[in-house]
Amino acid sequence: MLSTSAWKPFPRYMAETETAEDTGEVTPYEHDLILRYAIVGIFVILATAALYLTRVIALPVTAGVIFGLVLGPSVDWLVRRGVPQLLAAALIVLLGVFVLLSAVTVLAVPIAAWSDQFPAMLAALRAKLSGVFAFMEDFKKATASLSGKEGVELNVSQGNPLVDIAMSSSTAAGGLLIFVATVYFWLATRRHLKARALRFCLGRSARRSAGSFFQEIETRVARYFGLVTLINFGMGVLTTLIAWLAGLPFPVFWGAIAFLLNYLAFIGPIIVAVMLFAAALLTAPLLINAIWPAAIYYVMHLVEGNAVTPLFVGRGLTISPFLIFIAFIFWLWLWGPIGAVLSTPIVLVALVAQEEFARYRRAQAEESDAGGQAAGKSA
């Protein structure tokens, strides 16, 4: 026979007694917190829109500041040896321009040769991958029939293509000029800018935190780009060896492409692998012979991305891979491939700023606690 306690309501169904303080209204603290988060959200949206609308200027300026942070230790090295600040900055910028022009001169002939062979590469892809293209075409027709969009779509280009090329070329030239000027003026006046920024900081602890912030930014960004450049150079040398073994013309060209596109995380190595596969199709008698250069390169990329880079770069960079991926997608959408290259340094700057601000607040709290204890003892 069941006892009467079995018919009592379970504790989770019992009505909870309301406290006198729980009125259901928003407290002033919660109201201020909601307003604070709302203002931050509005600021982020407006800042993103401003960066997108002013990307013609904001992109080269940001890239110039990032590269100025990377080249700052080189300028300091020259200044410590008696070279004036302005002259040291000019020498570093001229050296960078000379290296860029030398690379373009060396790679001009391979680029022209491969651009001439680009139609042959497309023809080889269509011939040897005809089955894959036929399957994709059937799948496209089936998708169109299911979605109800059948027929041929005509895309007519508006305007003169020569005018579009001229406008894009002038925009790129203007952006490059802004980039070089930003790098020079940043390197030439960075000490004065740092001193002026420190003057705005009220209090010794604030100036100490700001100085540590500037120093930590330069150290981390320069270390990141230095290590990544060395790793990418190694990938370029190995890709040159692969292209030479595969019998591809101009192996140095493939090494340079692998070196440059390896800065573009996630997407760059895929582009290099596809290009290697398409170029090998021109000379390979069988499809399997055209696959192995791209396959070996991509295996090397997987080893580099999952073992080499975390081993060397990960010691100085404690950034979540998820955060790096989100930043990569965001800046790729906002500023294109150059924004994707700058995504990790921008995240580094933001993390250093957050760490230094948290350290400054801890120092302020410790000073206030020490002052309170001293006042209590004196009383």
Side-chain angles (χ1 to χ4, degrees):
M1 185 176 180
L2 296 176
S3 61
T4 56
S5 61
W7 299 99
K8 294 180 180 179
F10 291 100
R12 62 176 180 271
Y13 296 120
M14 295 178 63
E16 297 181 358
T17 58
E18 295 185 358
T19 59
E21 298 179 356
D22 189 9
T23 58
E25 298 179 356
V26 179
T27 62
Y29 173 76
E30 293 174 342
H31 181 267
D32 294 341
L33 196 62
I34 293 173
L35 287 179
R36 193 178 306 169
Y37 283 125
I39 293 172
V40 170
I42 294 172
F43 172 78
V44 170
I45 294 173
L46 293 178
T48 303
L51 289 175
Y52 181 77
L53 294 175
T54 62
R55 60 188 179 276
V56 177
I57 298 175
L59 175 57
V61 170
T62 305
V65 172
I66 295 296
F67 276 87
L69 294 174
V70 175
L71 300 175
S74 302
V75 175
D76 292 339
W77 184 82
L78 292 177
V79 170
R80 286 194 297 267
R81 279 150 182 81
V83 181
Q85 182 83 18
L86 298 178
L87 180 58
L91 290 176
I92 293 298
V93 172
L94 289 177
L95 179 61
V97 173
F98 175 75
V99 171
L100 180 62
L101 292 178
S102 301
V104 171
T105 303
V106 171
L107 297 176
V109 175
I111 290 174
W114 281 111
S115 62
D116 292 337
Q117 293 185 5
F118 186 72
M121 292 169 61
L122 290 180
L125 281 174
R126 292 193 187 98
K128 296 189 178 182
L129 300 178
S130 57
V132 177
F133 286 120
F135 173 76
M136 292 176 62
E137 187 67 23
D138 294 340
F139 180 77
K140 182 179 178 180
K141 291 180 180 178
T143 305
S145 62
L146 290 176
S147 60
K149 296 181 179 180
E150 296 182 356
V152 180
E153 295 182 359
L154 181 61
N155 186 11
V156 180
S157 177
Q158 300 291 334
N160 192 343
L162 296 178
V163 176
D164 297 336
I165 294 174
M167 293 180 62
S168 61
S169 301
S170 61
T171 302
L176 183 60
L177 182 61
I178 294 174
F179 168 74
V180 174
T182 302
V183 173
Y184 170 73
F185 286 114
W186 175 269
L187 294 176
T189 62
R190 47 195 283 269
R191 291 187 175 182
H192 301 286
L193 291 174
K194 187 185 298 185
R196 289 178 179 271
L198 293 178
R199 289 175 187 173
F200 287 103
C201 300
L202 302 177
R204 183 178 300 176
S205 60
R207 286 193 292 271
R208 189 186 305 114
S209 297
S212 177
F213 167 69
F214 288 121
Q215 184 64 33
E216 192 69 17
I217 282 179
E218 288 190 353
T219 302
R220 290 199 185 186
V221 174
R223 185 187 307 164
Y224 166 78
F225 263 104
L227 292 174
V228 168
T229 300
L230 288 177
I231 293 172
N232 292 353
F233 180 77
M235 288 293 296
V237 172
L238 294 176
T239 306
T240 303
L241 181 61
I242 292 174
W244 177 72
L245 293 175
L248 299 178
F250 306 108
V252 178
F253 166 77
W254 294 103
I257 290 295
F259 170 77
L260 293 175
L261 292 183
N262 209 41
Y263 284 104
L264 192 60
F266 306 107
I267 298 178
I270 298 177
I271 296 175
V272 176
V274 172
M275 291 177 63
L276 282 172
F277 174 67
L281 282 176
L282 295 176
T283 57
L286 299 175
L287 186 61
I288 190 65
N289 295 331
I291 291 176
W292 73 264
I296 292 179
Y297 166 78
Y298 203 75
V299 169
M300 287 194 315
H301 161 67
L302 292 177
V303 174
E304 174 263 325
N306 295 284
V308 179
T309 300
L311 178 62
F312 293 98
V313 181
R315 294 177 180 176
L317 302 175
T318 56
I319 306 178
S320 170
F322 177 75
L323 184 61
I324 293 177
F325 176 74
I326 294 299
F328 172 83
I329 295 299
F330 174 77
W331 292 106
L332 178 64
W333 164 76
L334 192 67
W335 284 348
I338 301 179
V341 174
L342 300 176
S343 60
T344 302
I346 292 174
V347 173
L348 276 176
V349 173
L351 288 179
V352 172
Q354 187 270 335
E355 291 175 2
E356 292 300 326
F357 183 71
R359 188 179 296 117
Y360 170 73
R361 295 192 64 178
R362 287 196 301 269
Q364 289 291 101
E366 291 175 358
E367 289 181 2
S368 63
D369 293 341
Q373 292 177 2
K377 289 181 181 179
S378 62

